[in-house]
Amino acid sequence: LDLGRRALDLGVRGNLEFHVSTSMVAAALALSHRLPAVMDAGTGPRQATAFAPFQLHNATGTPLSFTPLSLAAEGQPAEEELPPGETASLASAGLLVSFPGFQPLELQPPFRERYRLWFGHASRASQIVNVLAESGKRGVTTLVTLHSTIVLHNTCADEVKLRLCRRDAQAIASLPLAIAPGQRMPVPLEFQCGWLQSS
């Protein structure tokens, strides 16, 4: 299965009338996130402000956990779980993302299209798995989606039962799957260096 998927001041005299729109509210929210970083900079050298809030979506088929890089650097592990198919709303300049059995990766802008994951176990240290990252804008929010490089799509009229297999040390691990007609299912990361069997 080693495949690649291919701050603002206003002064007026008299009455002032505002027409409030959704885009204006979104811009004000974005500004409110940036103001604390600007105020904390004081009179010293100007510091870089945090980028606009973003969302992280897990489309890898594998549970993940994440910690803001600012907390990880201070030795304060505050991991949050993100199950497959779920989305988390964040306001951090970067994340330390961990998948079970793999060494953690740093996820921060500018985002790359592909990230390499190394297995944490010595018996599989030579194997590398790729994770695809897709980023885009939703108003002022950046949505980052992590994808598995392999997705199974059932184009049959009936349910298809399969089994994913991988060699783990001296044993063979397997994962049974039942894919409904028209369903797309990402292959979990730990099984991307394995093989597929019909159940």
Side-chain angles (χ1 to χ4, degrees), residues 35-42:
L35 283 178
V38 174
M39 295 175 67
D40 290 341

Side-chain angles (χ1 to χ4, degrees), residues 21-137:
S21 64
T22 55
S23 60
M24 179 180 178
V25 173
L29 288 173
L31 181 61
S32 69
H33 285 287
R34 296 175 59 89
L35 283 178
V38 174
M39 295 175 67
D40 290 341
T43 58
R46 198 174 172 127
Q47 303 294 321
T49 58
F51 69 96
F54 71 93
Q55 293 180 323
L56 178 65
H57 180 68
N58 182 5
T60 63
T62 306
L64 67 81
S65 59
F66 60 88
T67 303
L69 286 175
S70 57
L71 296 181
E74 297 172 1
Q76 302 179 28
E79 289 192 347
E80 294 189 43
E81 304 289 333
L82 186 61
E86 297 293 324
T87 302
S89 296
L90 309 162
S92 173
L95 298 174
L96 189 66
V97 178
S98 298
F99 294 94
F102 293 91
Q103 296 181 13
L105 66 86
E106 289 189 6
L107 187 67
Q108 59 183 331
F111 301 105
R112 305 198 300 265
E113 293 183 355
R114 184 183 298 264
Y115 292 85
R116 287 184 175 183
L117 288 178
W118 281 265
F119 284 93
H121 196 279
S123 64
R124 307 184 70 186
S126 61
Q127 297 178 340
I128 298 175
V129 167
N130 289 311
V131 176
L132 302 180
E134 180 184 7
S135 61
K137 282 286 188 179

